[in-house]
Amino acid sequence: MKLTIVKSSAVFITLTVLGLSLVRAQDPLPSWNEGSAKQAILEFVKTTTTQGSPQFVSAEERIATFDQDGTLWVEHPMYTQIVYCLERVPALVKARPGLRNKEPFKTVLSGDREAIAKLSTNELVEILAATMTGMSVDEFSAEAKKWITEAKDPRWKRPYTELTYQPMQELLRYLRANGYKTYIVTGGGQDFVRVYAEQTYAIPPEQVVGTAGGTKYGYDKNGRPFLTKEPKLLLNDNNAGKPEGIHLMIGRRPFAAFGNSTGDKQMLEYTKEGDGARLAMIVLHDDAEREYAYGPAQGLPDTKVGMFTQALYDEAKKNGWTVISMKSDWKVIFPFETK
Amino acid sequence: MKLTIVKSSAVFITLTVLGLSLVRAQDPLPSWNEGSAKQAILEFVKTTTTQGSPQFVSAEERIATFDQDGTLWVEHPMYTQIVYCLERVPALVKARPGLRNKEPFKTVLSGDREAIAKLSTNELVEILAATMTGMSVDEFSAEAKKWITEAKDPRWKRPYTELTYQPMQELLRYLRANGYKTYIVTGGGQDFVRVYAEQTYAIPPEQVVGTAGGTKYGYDKNGRPFLTKEPKLLLNDNNAGKPEGIHLMIGRRPFAAFGNSTGDKQMLEYTKEGDGARLAMIVLHDDAEREYAYGPAQGLPDTKVGMFTQALYDEAKKNGWTVISMKSDWKVIFPFETK
């Protein structure tokens, strides 16, 4: 009996090995056009994962970090998380009526889109703090999960989680198939992104680093412990906060990092500064037709999100970062286009 | 040629499968005596990892968290990290001579053991902050690594990293072999423990959660980016800080947690409060001969470290935590005893 099991295991594994050989022969990045961006990825993976390569990286050190908004999914015209927080305002005001006539909540309730678009960063931060703290982590998570399942992007009329970039999904899978641990390192709220990252990108909560507030441990009236989300900022995971957050949460310097804006500059610099082969790539939103074209590099006015400035361009060139042009490098943009 | 490779792979894998069957038949916890503690572990693993079990836990949710000092290695009579910081004081004073005649540094320099043992917690915190911050993360890591390689425990005359508990090492491996991701959740400094955790426990830096300070991103005179350790506390990973740190760094509630003192109480409570089968265990230091017996539960005076109080005992009983008696549950204490 035992022999039979072993024999069939061997047959099964033989087939698996044959299967793997077939998969290996296929293009791991079918949605990428041939070009310098695709080439940079393939060469990086080859040089860091081939035994005997002078730039070989041991399996446990293979860390790749990805910005989310604008790098893995659409961030224009407004970060998904901001949309969520604005839509939470009516429920918030219902629970705390004192806020109804207080700015910036009053403007949000007015529904005046132009006025809302003009809210200052400080006012947005006030809205984020009010709508994302003061509840238990389980309550927050349940509410955010419900919203992300139901809400739709106004242009594509699809859930936000379908607006990820197919070429980046292939890249995530390709890196993981080669032993890389893939992390999201986002300026967005860590708890918010964790709600959908596992299902959307196969990235588990413990591999999501983001802007994080403190929590407070306490007990309910039945003596059961729970955590409350506090309005106390622990990590602003933007700009210098990205390498700081990577040190705090991962404790290793990444070998590959991917971003799309000035907020990712320090993460890319920090990654490139390490020894050996390091890959730094930056997504340029230059496809007005299939997605968006924005940022001063396109001669368009600066926006609140996704600033790919001339200075960032210059730094990319100086430091050997590879620019990914959505227009030229990507055959398709979204997963639903491949179905 | 290809066929040959596949064939030999199949033979190799067949041998591996046979090998695994043999290993499976062996006791995964040979240094544990038969008893309620060992039984609790075996039952927990079986019920959470057997397909079809009503308490089955999916692979990605299998998280186990371990306190370090007193749970995975010796913490008595003084935390290893405190020894490190005290021994760093002469070098610190050399670099900053103004501290020579300032307390608490003056007392440390005096070498008067009794006076040193009487330093207050605030004074110890001042020494920790002064010796663990103000340098780059790479400098800190290199210094700590050098020290941990050379320093020896005065009783056993062995490196501290050899004073881990063999039964807990077996437990770590057993949980990992069953798909559990093992984390250290320590009151000790996160950066300090990360220096040796990978080699000592096969736990990578990204799975070490500890008391953490902020870092500051900046550039050296050649424009190269680096991180400096700042004297700013982000997470005090003791007591309520343990579940708060688990939420921050892992984002999932553990299914199993292991501790040894009042500082682990909230982590154990939080773990047990989750749905399904949850394992909470607490190591009792009751072996004066082979290791130490301490804490009020042994009728000994309270110490600065490792408080296993009567209140903790009562909570363990009330909440269904399993107490591990070093004296009765462990056949051997240290890995070097098995060689």
Side-chain angles (χ1 to χ4, degrees):
Chain A
M1 189 60 181
K2 189 163 196 183
L3 200 69
T4 317
I5 292 166
V6 171
K7 204 177 157 192
S8 67
S9 296
V11 169
F12 170 74
I13 292 161
T14 306
L15 290 172
T16 310
V17 170
L18 280 168
L20 279 174
S21 313
L22 286 174
V23 171
R24 288 241 171 91
Q26 283 174 358
D27 182 354
L29 301 171
S31 300
W32 292 71
N33 287 314
E34 299 308 316
S36 57
K38 182 172 182 172
Q39 207 48 44
I41 297 167
L42 294 173
E43 272 170 22
F44 167 78
V45 169
K46 193 179 166 194
T47 196
T48 59
T49 65
T50 306
Q51 278 283 359
S53 154
Q55 301 192 305
F56 179 76
V57 175
S58 66
E60 56 272 16
E61 285 185 286
R62 292 182 200 161
I63 302 279
T65 55
F66 290 79
D67 168 59
Q68 192 198 216
D69 294 298
T71 300
L72 293 179
W73 79 0
V74 176
E75 68 179 354
H76 206 70
M78 199 181 260
Y79 294 130
T80 307
Q81 185 179 339
I82 304 278
V83 180
Y84 171 73
C85 291
L86 293 175
E87 294 193 6
R88 288 286 308 153
V89 168
L92 174 73
V93 169
K94 207 171 164 187
R96 294 169 57 191
L99 297 177
R100 184 175 301 277
N101 292 307
K102 241 192 101 184
E103 289 298 356
F105 305 98
K106 196 178 163 188
T107 294
V108 177
L109 288 172
S110 76
D112 177 345
R113 288 189 182 200
E114 269 185 52
I116 293 169
K118 278 183 194 148
L119 291 172
S120 70
T121 301
N122 282 348
E123 286 172 316
L124 284 178
V125 167
E126 200 181 334
I127 293 164
L128 261 69
T131 51
M132 300 191 72
T133 67
M135 71 284 283
S136 78
V137 301
D138 292 340
E139 279 163 6
F140 171 77
S141 172
E143 276 167 13
K145 191 165 273 175
K146 185 171 183 292
W147 184 85
I148 203 80
T149 312
E150 295 169 355
K152 287 188 175 169
D153 174 89
R155 175 170 161 190
W156 283 279
K157 320 268 187 267
R158 286 175 178 271
Y160 293 97
T161 50
E162 289 186 19
L163 299 178
T164 66
Y165 304 133
Q166 171 66 15
M168 297 306 276
Q169 291 276 15
E170 289 169 7
L171 176 55
L172 285 167
R173 285 192 289 267
Y174 177 53
L175 287 170
R176 288 195 290 256
N178 283 282
Y180 276 89
K181 229 175 180 174
T182 53
Y183 282 81
I184 289 174
V185 177
T186 175
Q190 184 167 278
D191 283 345
F192 185 71
V193 178
R194 280 174 169 175
V195 161
Y196 54 81
E198 191 152 33
Q199 212 174 342
T200 307
Y201 306 111
I203 294 180
E206 62 269 27
Q207 285 164 227
V208 174
V209 177
T211 295
T215 56
K216 195 173 167 56
Y217 185 81
Y219 303 89
D220 70 12
K221 58 183 196 297
N222 300 314
R224 289 185 169 166
F226 70 102
L227 292 168
T228 304
K229 284 174 71 67
E230 295 276 287
K232 180 194 163 195
L233 186 67
L234 286 186
L235 173 67
N236 178 355
D237 200 42
N238 284 295
N239 307 305
K242 290 211 172 190
E244 291 162 7
I246 287 169
H247 178 71
L248 177 68
M249 306 282 213
I250 311 177
R252 300 192 200 261
R253 193 191 297 257
F255 273 81
F258 306 86
N260 81 306
S261 83
T262 50
D264 303 312
K265 172 174 129 53
Q266 290 85 346
M267 173 171 76
L268 295 163
E269 280 174 353
Y270 179 69
T271 299
K272 264 300 211 188
E273 184 59 28
D275 295 333
R278 306 271 170 166
L279 182 65
M281 300 187 87
I282 189 152
V283 176
L284 178 66
H285 292 261
D286 59 356
D287 195 329
E289 201 182 312
R290 296 188 300 170
E291 202 238 15
Y292 293 104
Y294 54 89
Q298 284 76 50
L300 291 173
D302 193 9
T303 62
K304 263 189 190 164
V305 297
M307 287 185 287
F308 193 136
T309 62
Q310 188 59 44
L312 193 65
Y313 240 143
D314 296 344
E315 178 142 2
K317 267 200 182 145
K318 193 186 83 186
N319 294 340
W321 307 345
T322 307
V323 174
I324 300 168
S325 157
M326 294 183 79
K327 197 171 179 172
S328 333
D329 286 316
W330 290 356
K331 279 185 201 162
V332 297
I333 306 287
F334 301 114
F336 56 79
E337 297 169 21
T338 66
K339 279 165 193 163
Chain B
M1 189 61 179
K2 189 162 194 181
L3 201 68
T4 318
I5 293 167
V6 171
K7 203 178 157 193
S8 66
S9 295
V11 169
F12 171 73
I13 291 161
T14 306
L15 289 172
T16 309
V17 169
L18 278 168
L20 280 175
S21 312
L22 286 173
V23 171
R24 288 241 172 91
Q26 283 174 357
D27 182 354
L29 301 171
S31 299
W32 292 71
N33 287 315
E34 300 307 318
S36 57
K38 182 172 182 173
Q39 208 47 44
I41 297 166
L42 296 172
E43 272 170 22
F44 168 78
V45 169
K46 192 178 166 196
T47 195
T48 59
T49 65
T50 306
Q51 278 283 359
S53 154
Q55 302 192 306
F56 180 76
V57 175
S58 67
E60 56 272 16
E61 284 185 285
R62 292 182 200 160
I63 303 278
T65 56
F66 290 80
D67 169 58
Q68 191 197 220
D69 294 297
T71 300
L72 293 178
W73 78 0
V74 175
E75 68 179 355
H76 206 72
M78 198 181 261
Y79 294 131
T80 307
Q81 185 179 340
I82 304 277
V83 180
Y84 171 74
C85 291
L86 292 174
E87 292 193 8
R88 290 285 310 152
V89 168
L92 174 73
V93 168
K94 206 171 168 189
R96 294 169 56 192
L99 297 178
R100 182 174 302 277
N101 292 307
K102 241 192 100 185
E103 289 298 354
F105 306 99
K106 196 178 161 186
T107 294
V108 177
L109 288 172
S110 76
D112 177 345
R113 288 189 183 199
E114 268 185 52
I116 293 170
K118 279 185 193 145
L119 290 173
S120 69
T121 302
N122 282 347
E123 286 172 316
L124 285 177
V125 167
E126 200 180 336
I127 293 165
L128 262 69
T131 51
M132 300 191 71
T133 67
M135 70 285 281
S136 77
V137 301
D138 292 340
E139 280 163 6
F140 171 78
S141 172
E143 277 167 12
K145 192 166 274 176
K146 185 171 182 293
W147 184 85
I148 202 80
T149 312
E150 295 169 355
K152 288 190 175 167
D153 174 89
R155 174 169 164 190
W156 284 279
K157 319 268 187 268
R158 287 174 178 271
Y160 292 98
T161 50
E162 290 186 19
L163 299 178
T164 66
Y165 304 134
Q166 172 65 16
M168 296 306 276
Q169 291 275 17
E170 290 169 6
L171 175 56
L172 285 168
R173 285 192 290 268
Y174 177 53
L175 287 171
R176 288 195 290 258
N178 283 282
Y180 276 89
K181 229 176 181 172
T182 54
Y183 282 80
I184 288 175
V185 177
T186 174
Q190 183 167 277
D191 283 347
F192 185 71
V193 178
R194 280 173 170 174
V195 161
Y196 54 81
E198 192 153 32
Q199 214 174 339
T200 307
Y201 306 110
I203 293 180
E206 63 269 27
Q207 285 165 226
V208 175
V209 177
T211 295
T215 57
K216 196 175 165 58
Y217 185 82
Y219 302 89
D220 70 12
K221 58 183 197 297
N222 300 314
R224 289 186 170 165
F226 70 102
L227 292 169
T228 303
K229 284 173 70 67
E230 296 274 287
K232 180 193 162 195
L233 186 67
L234 286 187
L235 173 67
N236 178 356
D237 200 43
N238 283 296
N239 306 306
K242 291 211 172 190
E244 290 162 8
I246 288 169
H247 179 71
L248 178 68
M249 306 284 212
I250 310 176
R252 299 193 201 260
R253 193 191 297 257
F255 272 81
F258 306 87
N260 80 306
S261 82
T262 49
D264 303 312
K265 170 174 130 53
Q266 290 85 346
M267 174 171 75
L268 295 163
E269 279 174 353
Y270 179 68
T271 299
K272 264 300 211 187
E273 183 59 28
D275 295 333
R278 307 271 169 166
L279 182 66
M281 300 186 88
I282 189 151
V283 176
L284 178 66
H285 293 262
D286 58 356
D287 195 328
E289 200 181 314
R290 296 188 300 171
E291 202 238 16
Y292 294 104
Y294 53 90
Q298 284 75 50
L300 290 174
D302 194 9
T303 63
K304 265 190 189 163
V305 298
M307 287 184 288
F308 193 136
T309 61
Q310 189 59 45
L312 194 64
Y313 240 144
D314 297 343
E315 178 140 2
K317 269 204 182 144
K318 192 186 84 186
N319 294 339
W321 306 346
T322 307
V323 174
I324 300 168
S325 156
M326 294 183 78
K327 196 170 179 176
S328 338
D329 286 316
W330 290 356
K331 279 185 200 160
V332 298
I333 305 287
F334 302 114
F336 57 77
E337 296 170 20
T338 65
K339 279 163 195 164

